[in-house]
Every structure is written in C-alpha cells, then in structure tokens.
Amino acid sequence: MVDKRRLHTLVVLVENKAGVLARVAGLFARRGFNIESLAVAPSADPRISRITLATAATPLDQVIKQLDKLINVVSIRELQPEDSVERELLVATVRAFPETRSQVMDLVRIFDARVLNVGHDKLMVSLSGGPNRVDDFESLLEPFGIVELQRTGKVALPRLASAGGEVGEF
Amino acid sequence: MEMNGGQALMQSLEREGVEIIFGLPGGAILPVYDPLLESSIRHVLVRHEQGAGHMAQGFAQATGKPGVAMVTSGPGATNIVTPLCDAHMDSVPIVVITGQVPYAAIGTDAFQECDTTGITMAVTKHNFLVTEASDIPQVIHNAFHIATTGRPGPVLVDIPKCVVDPRNPRSKLEWYEPEGPDLPGYNPQTAPDADAVAAAGRLICEARRPVIYSGGGILKSRASEALLAFAEMVQIPVVTTLMNRGGFPDDHPLCLGMPGMHGNYTAVTAMQRSDLLITLGARFDDRVTGKVDAFAPDAKVIHVDIDSAELGKVRVPEVGIAADCRKAIEALTAAVAALGGRDAQPDRREWMSTIAGWKERYPLTYDQDLQGDVIKPQYVIEELRDATPDDTIVCAGVGQHQMWASQFWSFNHPNTWINSGGLGTMGYAVPASIGAKAGCPDRMVWAIDGDGCFQMTAQELVTAATERLPVKVAILNNAFLGMVRQWQELFYGERYSEVHLTESLPDYRGWAESMGCEAMRITAPAEVRPAIEKANEINDRPVVIEFRVDPEENVYPMVPAGASNDDIVLSPDHLG
Ligand SMILES: Cc1ncc(C[n+]2csc(CCOP(=O)(O)OP(=O)(O)O)c2C)c(N)n1
C-alpha cells in the first residue's frame, strides 16, 4: 500500500466514448504507475464523463501533461484535499453472530451507516463519507470478520467557499 | 447524396487533398478497393505493408504533407505497427486506414481479426474505430486534423467491413461535408507566451557562449527561413540534430553540424561548454545529451516545443515556451530586435574563435587510399554528395552508414534528409525513398543503405520498378551488421557474436536486376565516381549500386552509451 499522503486526486473530464478509459488507464500502465482509486460516470453533460482518480505517480506534472495529450481528454485538474469535498461509498458484509450483532449495530449507529441486508449471522452495511471516515469504519469492522467488501473509489468536487464557515459540510 | 461507406471514405480522402495512397488489399478492406477504381487518387501497390507505412512517412518527410497508407485487417494491420511507432517517435504526419472484420464479428476471433486499435494505441497520436458509416466523413477529417496539427504524428482509422460494404445496409449514409474537426479535447496551442519570449530575449542578449540547439521541430513547422534570419541577426552558432539535418544549411558559416553520440567534436563540445542553449524544436534525446547529469553543465536553457510535455521532461529550462517553432522564432527575433538586435549582443569574439579552433583541429576524418583497392564508406558518401544536385533527397537506413551519411553529406535545404531517428528502424531507407520520390518526382532521390538494412525491405524495389518510381540505392556492403560489430569491437572485447553477414550472399546485383533495377557492383575506389555518374543518368528504372566497402571501418567521433559528452572519443587518426 502506498502512503496515502503521497496520493494526488485528479479530476479528468473526458469524452464519453468507447475506449477512453482504456487510453487513460493505458497511459498509467505503460509507465508502470498504479491508479489507487478510480471512479467514472457521465457528468451533468452526457457527452462528457468525469473521472476521479487517485495516484502516487511522479512526476505529477508529467503525468498531467501526458494525460492532456490524449485527444479525448477535455480537461484535467488536481484537487487539493483542503480545497475539495471528497466522498466514498463502502458496502461490506460483516459477520454478526448473536453475541456480536449489537456491537456491529453500535458501530453502524455511531458512524451513521446503514444496514442494507440482514442474514442469520451476517449483516450487509454501507457507509458513505470522506475517505478517512470510511477507513476508520472499515478498520473497526475488521475484528468482527469482513466476508466481502467493496469501496467505490473516491469522488470529489471543489469546495464551494471557505469564508466564515458559511457553507458547511454535510 | 446517398452513398456507401467505401465511396464516402474515398470522397473524404479526396477532400483532404490526398493524391497518393500506399497500400495492399485484403478481405476486410476489399470494399474500399472497389471505389478506388473510380477515384482520382493514385494507389501504389506495395509488397509488404511495412513498406506502405515507411513510404507514407518518406512522402510526408519530403513534402511536408500527410502520407496515407491503407491495409487490410489482422496481418496487414500488424505489419504496419513498426511504421506507426516510427512515425510516432519522429512526429511524422501519416494517416493509416486499416480494414477490420464486420462489427458483429469483432471479439469473436474471426478470420484475420486483431484488436488493431488496442495494439496501436501506444504507437499512434490517436486512433479511431469507426462504428457507423455516417461517421466516416467526420472521422477522416478529424484524423487528418490530428495528424497534421500540433505535434504531428500518426493516426490510424480502423474500419469494419460492414460499414463500407455496399451489400450491407449498415454501409448506407447521406454524404455531408464536415464543418471542421469535432474534437472537444484537442486544441493545440501554437502562439508563444509574450512574457516568456521577452525573458528569452533578455537571456540571449546576456549570453557569452550561446548555442542554438535546433531539432526536428524546425522542419515540422517550416521554420528554416525564420531560423536563418534569427541566427544571422544574433550571430549565434547552430547545431542541427539528426532530425534537423538540412533545417539550417551545412554550408553556412554559423552551422556546426550534428551533435550527439556520433556528432562532430565541435557541435558536441560547443554544447557542453555553452552558457545558453537556445533549444528550438528539439527534445534532449539521450543520443544527444549523453549522460544527462553531465550535459552542458553551465548552460541555461531556453526550450521551445509545441508539445508542452517536452518542457522539463529531461532538462528543466530557465524559460519554457510551448508554441509552434516558427511562430516562437519569429517572436524571439522581434523581441531581440527590440532590445537592439545584433548591437545588443555581448562581445562573443572569444567564444567564436574557440569554436573556429575546434573546427580546424577536429574535423571529421577518414583515410582513403585512392590507389589502393579498399573503398572507405565515407568516401562513397562524399563522392555521392559531390556528384549529385544540391537538393538531392537522401534517405538512410539505420547503422553506421546512416551516421556517415549524416556526417559527410552537406545538407543545405530543408527536407532533404530522411531517416528513422527515434525508433532506429532498419530497412527504412528503400521504402522511405520510394515515398519521397512519389512526392517529389522531379528531384533526385538516393537511398544510402547498409547490407543488413537492405535485406529487410529490398522487395519494395519491385514496387519502385513497377510503379516507375526511379529511386537510386547505394548499398554500403561491409558484410556486417556494422554498427553492432563496432559496439562488440569497442565494448565487448572484440567478441563478435552474430554480426557477420556474407559479402556475396545474397548476390545484390543479381537480386536487384531480378527486381527490375539497373544494378552495379563496385569494388575499387576508382570505379566509385563513374558508377554514380552512370546511375544519375538513368531515370526510367531504379538503380542499385553495391559498394564493397572496408568491413572494419568504425564511426567516429563516438560518445560511448551512458558516458558524458566530455568523454567523446575521436577517430584513432586524431591520436598523437
Ligand atoms: C529492425 C532493427 N533490428 C535491429 C536493429 C539493431 N541494429 C542497429 S544498427 C544494426 C546493424 C545494421 O547493419 P547494416 O544495415 O549492415 O548497416 P551498417 O551498420 O553495417 O552500416 C542493427 C542490427 C535495428 N536498429 N533495427
């Protein structure tokens, strides 16, 4: 695992066309760089997809310039954590035996997570939040026994305003 | 007007001004070869698809116009991967059309199916998979726009058979004229930033030991005249990289010739000692810099390149200018003129006389005994140079002969030197020369080739003979993969491993004759000039001259791979 502090978040707007993700991913792969997390979906404009990716690739400046050379890439922007709001979704199936179920439920309540599905000795839970909060939740679930887990990779948008705390984070 | 995709493809190519296509048909591209019969476009039938790609490159490098190649799916497409990669490395504008299996068959391992766009993604500037016949006019226009603007490069268009086959309803479309490129993410910036230009102008007027480091971007942006005017105004010497030989005239007093691994002493050393490198359309290739940490240690750098990703990729410039080379040079000229032009230049007499001293002490040398029976390869090049018109187009393969050609020819016009610089593709010379001749039928075109290279693509001489493209080929037959032999001699203690080719097998003269060429074999120095003169008289078919040259001759000077340019090794003739 890479040191999370070295990860950069890039928001890449691309044409919403077949093969574009392969071009972006291929550019990283050819240089031996890993993409730590990735989220892709159409933006408000259906012709444009928004890719949010986290990478430790260096030098970042070269990565951005090379990405920019891809014909289908419309724009690239690096988001600094302090200037952006990040969200990630976690869905996990956790062991929840009669003697531990209430402890799992406590965690769900504390984190404001949700129960999606209930089995005899398992619970499926979900949490959306900032990556740190999702990390904490995941590590606290671990001792109970995680059967399966999927995180979406983070999405991010620039913060609207920082002045006077007028705009809060919900 | 209703038409089918094949007709639309031809019409689109005509609309882009295409006059010639190099190609070879096959199943998947068959429907396009039918409307070709009605088209004004000339088709040159090659003998191997690699030849088609290199011909398109040679055409583009000689004319400055995009070259076009067309091949079938599967093996046709894979055979053209090398030229695509070559064009990608050397920023040569070509458009390659490949047939593809019908859309419904893609992904089924159909006969002659391959993932062409997947395979070529890393070796093209961009590629397209056409999915609807109605996309053809727009995609072809986009392809030419991408290939020829910004940093030029190869573009591939993969066309499934169903969208061009008139028997398939999917191939019907209503013809339309594209209004312009439809590429929201592609918008190359060509205008230089005024502040950066001003800063560069000031650096130039302060520099005591400046050198203009000019690269292939000069030719790509047609900036030769601008470069000449700029260099003459500031009186700063110019080195021309392997990709820009001819972009600044070799016979100009400010020209220092080629730098790099086999560059001449003066060009290499002037860069090493300079205090300012005015880098114009060059990319600090490892073959030029040698050991990067030791390259031009005292130099500040001005770097002009249309591809902003080149700025700071290898060497961080003091001033980076992401712009078209010609526009940037014109802006620089104006900026320096505003500061006083030549009068604003510091006294550089010491620097210029140091350079003149190097030129005199360390010229390129070789030792030809005119009475003897051994022909030196450099002698053949000098005789060729002196016996041909000044604007002769010279194409080279890859190896020792390529370096000697670049060193000993005198290139005084842009686009007269055509070679494979970045990829170093053996076999480039013969097909590239055919493409150049097709683009410039009134010019003399000589390929200077190695015996190893010649054996890789010689079959295209059949194409040249059939299509009446009378190129001339000089094979410097040293019976070795000479450049590799040289490295084994110098760096592997003369342990020669798999570098010997047989002098008389193949019989080059007989082989060339069988391909419809006039052919000669030359074995003595006295025969060299008459043979060239005879070849120059023949214009109705290709000519091949096999020169049996000294097998042991090495290319000097040489900066060993990974060494500092300070450790340049001169020819043994210089020792003592
Ligand atoms: C396709 C390809 N294969 C291998 C090489 C490696 N290589 C570089 S130069 C050279 C020797 C070329 O021999 P020849 O054509 O006889 O030219 P010479 O060096 O003798 O002038 C080789 C094998 C290459 N550049 N390209």
Side-chain angles (χ1 to χ4, degrees):
Chain A
M1 261 232 347
V2 295
D3 176 357
K4 287 208 166 158
R5 281 161 305 180
R6 283 177 39 226
L7 286 180
H8 300 278
T9 303
L10 297 181
V11 173
V12 187
L13 298 188
V14 299
E15 287 183 80
N16 184 5
K17 282 187 174 165
V20 174
L21 184 59
R23 290 178 200 275
V24 171
L27 195 136
F28 281 84
R30 285 200 288 282
R31 287 166 175 75
F33 293 141
N34 192 22
I35 296 176
E36 285 298 321
S37 110
L38 178 72
V40 195
S43 67
D45 176 350
R47 290 168 305 172
I48 303 289
S49 279
R50 190 182 174 95
I51 298 178
T52 309
L53 63 82
T55 181
T58 50
L60 188 68
D61 174 54
Q62 258 298 309
V63 174
I64 291 175
K65 284 170 165 178
Q66 294 294 340
L67 274 174
D68 202 28
K69 282 174 75 167
L70 295 177
I71 306 288
N72 303 119
V73 169
V74 178
S75 73
I76 307 160
R77 165 161 185 192
E78 187 189 0
L79 284 186
Q80 306 296 345
E82 59 275 20
D83 301 327
S84 56
V85 178
E86 300 180 331
R87 281 294 174 273
E88 195 173 347
L89 176 69
L90 169 151
V91 180
T93 300
V94 197
R95 293 224 180 274
F97 301 108
E99 59 275 23
T100 55
R101 183 175 294 252
S102 64
Q103 296 172 40
V104 175
M105 286 307 298
D106 276 349
L107 273 180
V108 168
R109 268 192 296 275
I110 293 165
F111 275 84
D112 224 351
R114 298 178 63 174
V115 176
L116 301 181
N117 202 220
V118 182
H120 287 299
D121 52 3
K122 296 187 200 96
L123 283 175
M124 189 191 291
V125 298
S126 85
L127 174 72
S128 93
N132 285 340
R133 213 161 80 95
V134 176
D135 282 353
D136 289 347
F137 186 58
E138 182 183 336
S139 63
L140 287 167
L141 285 179
E142 230 148 59
F144 298 103
I146 292 174
V147 182
E148 257 187 302
L149 178 141
Q150 169 77 59
R151 293 173 65 156
T152 56
K154 70 180 165 195
V155 295
L157 286 177
R159 201 172 276 282
L160 298 178
S162 44
E166 255 177 70
V167 183
E169 194 171 310
F170 298 96
Chain B
M1 189 179 31
E2 183 169 292
M3 60 174 74
N4 68 58
Q7 293 165 323
L9 176 60
M10 277 304 135
Q11 185 143 332
S12 299
L13 293 172
E14 286 166 9
R15 194 175 165 273
E16 297 298 330
V18 175
E19 286 160 17
I20 189 162
I21 296 176
F22 305 94
L24 194 146
I29 196 77
L30 258 176
V32 179
Y33 270 80
D34 187 67
L36 178 68
L37 290 170
E38 270 80 53
S39 171
S40 63
I41 299 176
R42 175 180 181 190
H43 183 271
V44 170
L45 176 62
V46 301
R47 265 52 181 176
H48 185 294
E49 291 88 348
Q50 183 188 357
H54 292 326
M55 285 178 208
Q57 290 183 271
F59 175 91
Q61 285 184 283
T63 63
K65 295 188 265 183
V68 181
M70 185 158 76
V71 300
T72 195
S73 66
T78 55
N79 272 349
I80 209 159
V81 170
T82 298
L84 285 169
C85 189
D86 194 290
H88 195 47
M89 293 285 272
D90 285 350
S91 309
V92 181
I94 62 171
V95 173
V96 172
I97 314 276
T98 48
Q100 181 55 277
V101 300
Y103 205 67
I106 290 180
T108 66
D109 298 329
F111 178 61
Q112 292 192 330
E113 180 191 356
C114 73
D115 175 7
T116 303
T117 49
I119 289 170
T120 59
M121 198 173 281
V123 296
T124 51
K125 184 172 172 185
H126 193 60
N127 59 21
F128 294 92
L129 173 63
V130 174
T131 52
E132 308 292 338
S134 61
D135 289 345
I136 288 174
Q138 185 66 57
V139 165
I140 294 298
H141 186 58
N142 288 350
F144 278 82
H145 182 70
I146 294 169
T148 55
T149 55
R151 180 178 186 164
V155 178
L156 179 137
V157 183
D158 199 26
I159 304 188
K161 188 172 185 175
C162 53
V163 303
V164 284
D165 183 358
R167 286 167 306 182
N168 192 312
R170 255 190 109 131
S171 78
K172 294 275 169 294
L173 76 149
E174 191 60 35
W175 170 259
Y176 60 95
E177 299 267 337
E179 278 168 24
D182 171 24
L183 298 162
Y186 181 69
N187 184 21
Q189 294 303 311
T190 60
D193 175 72
D195 291 344
V197 169
R202 288 191 295 275
L203 282 183
I204 291 167
C205 294
E206 285 161 12
R208 297 267 162 185
R209 301 188 309 279
V211 171
I212 296 172
Y213 162 26
S214 73
I218 297 289
L219 297 176
K220 302 294 172 348
S221 64
R222 298 181 175 82
S224 295
E225 281 177 30
L227 173 61
L228 187 64
F230 172 67
E232 287 187 338
M233 179 180 80
V234 292
Q235 287 293 310
I236 294 176
V238 181
V239 302
T240 50
T241 68
L242 184 69
M243 293 312 294
N244 191 36
R245 303 287 293 124
F248 188 81
D250 272 328
D251 61 5
H252 194 283
L254 287 171
C255 192
L256 306 185
M258 181 172 75
M261 177 176 271
H262 291 296
N264 70 76
Y265 181 89
T266 307
V268 172
T269 311
M271 289 176 90
Q272 279 305 91
R273 301 278 168 275
S274 75
D275 66 352
L276 179 66
L277 284 177
I278 306 164
T279 311
L280 306 174
R283 60 179 175 88
F284 296 88
D285 180 70
D286 55 84
R287 285 299 190 260
V288 167
T289 61
K291 190 176 172 210
V292 176
D293 300 339
F295 174 65
D298 304 329
K300 292 184 175 167
V301 170
I302 297 168
H303 193 176
V304 175
D305 203 294
I306 191 142
D307 180 357
S308 67
E310 289 299 341
L311 307 181
K313 185 183 82 176
V314 177
R315 172 90 173 228
V316 178
E318 269 66 26
V319 179
I321 302 175
D324 173 83
C325 225
R326 177 156 48 89
K327 289 185 185 168
I329 294 171
E330 284 164 359
L332 270 179
T333 309
V336 176
L339 293 171
R342 189 177 302 186
D343 297 336
Q345 304 302 303
D347 180 358
R348 300 193 184 114
R349 273 175 296 184
E350 196 183 326
W351 176 233
M352 297 309 276
S353 87
T354 305
I355 287 176
W358 289 330
K359 271 193 182 178
E360 191 166 315
R361 259 192 87 192
Y362 304 108
L364 293 167
T365 55
Y366 67 96
D367 196 10
Q368 175 69 61
D369 175 2
L370 288 171
Q371 303 334 312
D373 49 13
V374 178
I375 305 176
K376 290 289 182 180
Q378 302 96 323
Y379 174 72
V380 176
I381 307 234
E382 291 207 300
E383 289 296 294
L384 267 169
R385 175 196 67 200
D386 294 343
T388 51
D390 198 42
D391 67 349
T392 298
I393 295 172
V394 183
C395 302
V398 169
Q400 294 181 309
H401 62 282
Q402 172 193 27
M403 292 298 119
W404 286 317
S406 177
Q407 290 177 334
F408 286 92
W409 201 276
S410 187
F411 294 100
N412 297 322
H413 304 277
N415 305 324
T416 51
W417 166 244
I418 294 176
N419 85 138
S420 164
L423 194 62
T425 307
M426 284 176 70
Y428 190 67
V430 167
S433 70
I434 296 169
K437 185 72 184 171
C440 302
D442 302 329
R443 301 264 293 280
M444 189 176 281
V445 179
W446 270 94
I448 296 176
D449 217 0
D451 46 323
C453 287
F454 185 79
Q455 292 187 61
M456 289 205 176
T457 50
Q459 78 283 347
E460 297 309 336
L461 284 170
V462 180
T463 308
T466 321
E467 298 276 346
R468 302 228 170 269
L469 294 166
V471 296
K472 307 178 200 306
V473 183
I475 305 172
L476 302 185
N477 180 7
N478 56 9
F480 277 108
L481 295 168
M483 187 58 94
V484 184
R485 189 205 61 78
Q486 173 168 346
W487 285 51
Q488 290 178 349
E489 178 187 328
L490 300 177
F491 309 120
Y492 289 85
E494 297 181 45
R495 284 164 52 86
Y496 297 116
S497 174
E498 303 297 326
V499 287
H500 187 247
L501 307 173
T502 311
E503 180 184 56
S504 53
L505 189 67
D507 165 7
Y508 292 97
R509 186 171 57 189
W511 186 12
E513 278 170 355
S514 79
M515 293 188 285
C517 305
E518 178 73 28
M520 296 173 247
R521 173 176 302 134
I522 299 304
T523 56
E527 301 167 14
V528 170
R529 186 65 171 246
I532 295 168
E533 279 165 2
K534 182 175 167 199
N536 285 346
E537 293 305 311
I538 298 169
N539 275 316
D540 58 346
R541 58 197 181 286
V543 187
V544 175
I545 313 181
E546 174 202 357
F547 294 97
R548 294 268 170 98
V549 297
D550 186 348
E552 311 257 282
E553 189 68 15
N554 286 336
V555 184
Y556 289 108
M558 176 167 198
V559 179
S564 158
N565 281 353
D566 289 330
D567 300 328
I568 184 169
V569 180
L570 293 168
S571 154
D573 303 347
H574 273 298
L575 300 179

